[in-house]
Amino acid sequence: MKYHVSIGHETVLAKITFFKSETESTSKFSLDHDYIYQATYSEGDKGFALMELEHPILCVSDSLVIISRLDMDINTPACRLAFYGRLQHIFTSEKYQEESLPALKILQIQRKGRASRADE
């Protein structure tokens, strides 16, 4: 699903993948940890979001990120702001999908109890 991502004075569309830590005590992101894939974000969830922006923008670590659905009908009574958070890790390479993303271990639990990488 595509969301509008606002960082600083920039807003760009992004594909977002939600995931959470295997242990609830981990609130800091690290490429060394294993994470569990979440199909959607639910209110109150504590977790992380991988944001794949449509084009690069200038930002710094720990920036405030506001995620919204600006394409929603303005006449609906729902809030268009989805959630917010802080940047914890920034991929700077243009080839991040080949170079950096394989190090991110997001596992998806299968029905029969087996785990597989979410990107497979």
Side-chain angles (χ1 to χ4, degrees):
M1 178 173 285
K2 296 248 181 172
Y3 289 89
H4 292 86
V5 176
S6 299
I7 303 172
H9 297 287
E10 298 258 6
T11 299
V12 63
L13 278 173
K15 176 185 153 208
I16 297 183
T17 303
F18 301 102
F19 56 98
K20 64 181 180 180
S21 175
E22 282 188 315
T23 60
E24 294 298 323
S25 62
T26 306
S27 62
K28 289 290 181 189
F29 176 80
S30 171
L31 288 173
D32 298 328
H33 291 114
D34 290 344
Y35 297 97
I36 299 172
Y37 172 79
Q38 291 181 280
T40 59
Y41 172 80
S42 299
E43 188 175 338
D45 278 351
K46 300 275 187 200
F48 303 97
L50 171 64
M51 302 179 299
E52 297 183 69
L53 307 179
E54 284 191 342
H55 61 82
I57 62 172
L58 191 60
C59 58
V60 295
S61 200
D62 202 41
S63 293
L64 177 65
V65 179
I66 299 173
I67 311 298
S68 54
R69 294 298 313 262
L70 299 177
D71 54 345
M72 285 179 52
D73 182 12
I74 60 171
N75 296 319
T76 58
C79 181
R80 298 191 309 164
L81 295 177
F83 55 93
Y84 69 96
R86 296 271 176 188
L87 283 180
Q88 295 207 9
H89 186 82
I90 301 171
F91 296 114
T92 56
S93 171
E94 289 184 17
K95 297 179 182 180
Y96 74 95
Q97 291 178 325
E98 296 88 27
E99 296 171 355
S100 304
L101 280 189
L104 179 58
K105 294 170 258 172
I106 301 175
L107 307 174
Q108 187 171 9
I109 305 300
Q110 303 266 327
R111 289 186 186 150
K112 294 181 182 180
R114 290 188 289 176
S116 64
R117 286 184 62 99
D119 59 353
E120 291 180 348

